[in-house]
Amino acid sequence: MIKFFPNILAALMLGFFAPGASADGDIQIQDPWVQAAPPSAKVLAAYLEIKNNGKKQQALTGISSPAFGQIEIHRSVIHGNMAHMEHLKELAIPPNASVAMQPGGLHLMLMDAKKPLNAGDQVPMTLIFGNGEKIAVTAIVRSGKTGSMEDHRHMDHSGHGEHKH
Amino acid sequence: MKNQRGALTRKGLAILLIAAVAIVVAAAAFIGFRSNSDTVVKPPEEIEDYLFWEAKELTGFKLTGAGGKALGLDDLKGKWSFIFFGYIHCPDVCPLTMGILGQAFKLIEKNPAAYQDVQGIFVSVDPKRDTPELLQEYASYFSSKFTGVTGDTAQVDAFSRQMSALYTIHPKEAQASGDNYLVTHNSTVFLVDPQGRLYGRFPPPQLPQEIAEVFLKIHTFYNERVKK
């Protein structure tokens, strides 16, 4: 039994109980989740927050998951009531700042789902950073908190999620 | 001097009277003009921003739902229709907006009379990928009040252009695989009244509480002031 313990601990650390983080702790991933959608939805969206505690700028450059054929960084932009998506090659996280993805803005576009996902399912994902760091996270499938979208109105679409008040 | 002053006063009085009559006539004409058409009865301030100045009669259209069931102008009459243009391969804005509408319908449900007048229509502007069957399954996930429809490009355009709901299907990026192209679409939720007229709209970003509260006020205003 004892020898399984480290595995369980590792699994927990990769799970949603503990946020994913880089080895040096400079990059932390918080609250990764996938928007629950009807089975007919072939493309889904995932959201998470990336904190950069370090002194150097970091960049999310790629994402992979066994549950999807392809994952890209996208940003929904609504301009004059017209909604469109921009594909970002990478997402910069300035030093001592965090970038939060949110419905209606920055998101990970999950394409070619291997099978339909239901609320409560767990999706393992690996985030790849420009410095070569790979961070494993487990995203939970759930319905978005559309009832508390008040913040959405004041969202900064510039891609820099840090709050300036 | 006295006479002169008296004359001036009389002249002043005459001017005042003419001015007063002119104001009354202008006001009467204005009120009369506004009462001429039921659509321009002054709505309460809190819903005014959501309404079109003049409700726009829609012309006939034909879209197709699951099982080949046609949806046309007659299907909008007698109901308040919440109309949203999107596409299933839209992972962010469409489920967000559909989810918000679904929650708004749940809030409206607390007023059964208003709720029974409500229907939601999800129109796919991407008929190449979205079949009516897929659309119905997709739309009803967010609320049983939703019908999912589409048509050929000409049919979709004949409907969407009446609401100036423009969209663009982008040629897929060279490196993108398969069917992964993007679509720009209007993310406004349009409101059609029970007479089949484009009556109001909820521009993004929407909130469930906002849609429900404003709709219930519109519903009351319409029943009290407009429908007669």
Side-chain angles (χ1 to χ4, degrees):
Chain A
M1 274 315 270
I2 287 290
K3 69 176 178 179
F4 289 114
F5 185 69
N7 290 340
I8 293 164
L9 192 66
L12 279 176
M13 284 175 71
L14 295 177
F16 66 102
F17 298 107
S22 59
D24 57 9
D26 274 2
I27 309 171
Q28 281 185 320
I29 312 299
Q30 294 183 324
D31 191 26
W33 64 284
V34 175
Q35 175 77 263
S40 48
K42 300 289 181 288
V43 181
L44 301 177
Y47 308 90
L48 45 82
E49 182 174 358
I50 306 172
K51 286 181 83 169
N52 179 4
N53 303 316
K55 291 189 172 64
K56 278 189 290 187
Q57 172 159 305
Q58 302 287 353
L60 176 67
T61 55
I63 310 96
S64 69
S65 169
F68 294 92
Q70 194 183 349
I71 301 180
E72 292 176 353
I73 308 162
H74 279 239
R75 176 168 31 220
S76 296
V77 180
I78 297 177
H79 187 69
N81 296 338
M82 296 297 286
H84 74 273
M85 287 196 289
E86 292 172 357
H87 174 196
L88 310 185
K89 290 259 183 311
E90 59 174 54
L91 176 66
I93 306 103
N96 285 310
S98 77
V99 173
M101 300 184 181
Q102 239 179 327
L106 274 173
H107 58 276
L108 301 178
M109 181 156 153
L110 318 173
M111 292 172 275
D112 308 324
K114 300 282 189 266
K115 64 180 180 68
L117 294 170
N118 298 309
D121 285 353
Q122 301 194 1
V123 181
M125 277 188 225
T126 304
L127 309 184
I128 302 143
F129 287 82
N131 61 1
E133 194 95 48
K134 289 183 179 178
I135 302 178
V137 296
T138 304
I140 307 300
V141 181
R142 62 172 165 85
S143 292
K145 291 177 283 185
T146 46
S148 59
M149 284 300 294
E150 205 71 57
D151 291 345
H152 178 63
R153 287 171 174 271
H154 314 293
M155 248 185 61
D156 174 16
H157 288 287
S158 69
H160 302 286
E162 74 269 40
H163 293 283
K164 297 168 194 144
H165 288 298
Chain B
M1 202 61 184
K2 213 177 187 181
N3 277 349
Q4 225 178 353
R5 269 174 66 188
L8 266 177
T9 308
R10 274 198 298 277
K11 205 175 162 190
L13 201 67
I15 290 168
L16 265 177
L17 265 170
I18 290 165
V21 168
I23 287 167
V24 168
V25 168
F30 186 62
I31 291 163
F33 162 73
R34 287 172 66 100
S35 320
N36 256 346
S37 162
D38 61 5
T39 58
V40 287
V41 173
K42 176 92 174 136
E45 206 176 313
E46 64 268 30
I47 62 172
E48 202 177 5
D49 285 352
Y50 297 90
L51 304 182
F52 289 102
W53 173 245
E54 199 167 353
K56 182 190 166 193
E57 300 274 352
L58 297 179
T59 58
F61 62 89
K62 185 175 178 271
L63 296 165
T64 307
K69 194 169 179 289
L71 183 113
L73 186 55
D74 284 345
D75 299 297
L76 302 189
K77 292 183 176 168
K79 292 273 185 191
W80 282 97
S81 305
F82 290 78
I83 296 166
F84 181 61
F85 296 88
Y87 63 112
I88 293 178
H89 281 65
C90 160
D92 185 45
V93 169
C94 297
L96 174 68
T97 311
M98 292 292 281
I100 286 169
L101 269 179
Q103 287 190 28
F105 291 170
K106 273 198 186 121
L107 294 170
I108 294 168
E109 198 172 357
K110 289 168 190 159
N111 180 331
Y115 185 66
Q116 70 171 16
D117 289 348
V118 164
Q119 66 177 348
I121 296 168
F122 179 64
V123 183
S124 171
V125 297
D126 185 20
K128 183 173 168 250
R129 291 182 294 191
D130 298 345
T131 65
E133 274 65 31
L134 283 175
L135 284 165
Q136 186 55 45
E137 188 246 40
Y138 181 85
S140 53
Y141 175 89
F142 298 97
S143 167
S144 58
K145 287 278 187 184
F146 269 117
T147 303
V149 292
T150 190
D152 61 33
T153 304
Q155 289 170 328
V156 170
D157 289 356
F159 186 56
S160 65
R161 279 180 187 159
Q162 297 193 52
M163 308 191 180
S164 304
L166 306 178
Y167 67 93
T168 311
I169 295 181
H170 297 280
K172 62 180 185 182
E173 296 169 38
Q175 75 273 22
S177 63
D179 263 352
N180 291 328
Y181 54 88
L182 300 177
V183 179
T184 298
H185 59 109
N186 192 313
S187 61
T188 300
V189 172
F190 295 94
L191 185 64
V192 173
D193 78 0
Q195 298 174 58
R197 303 177 307 174
L198 182 58
Y199 196 75
R201 80 258 181 283
F202 299 93
Q206 301 96 346
L207 290 169
Q209 296 85 344
E210 172 198 24
I211 292 176
E213 281 167 23
V214 169
F215 171 70
L216 290 173
K217 282 176 185 158
I218 291 174
H219 189 262
T220 304
F221 165 72
Y222 188 89
N223 286 349
E224 286 175 358
R225 305 285 299 280
V226 180
K227 211 161 75 174
K228 284 163 194 162

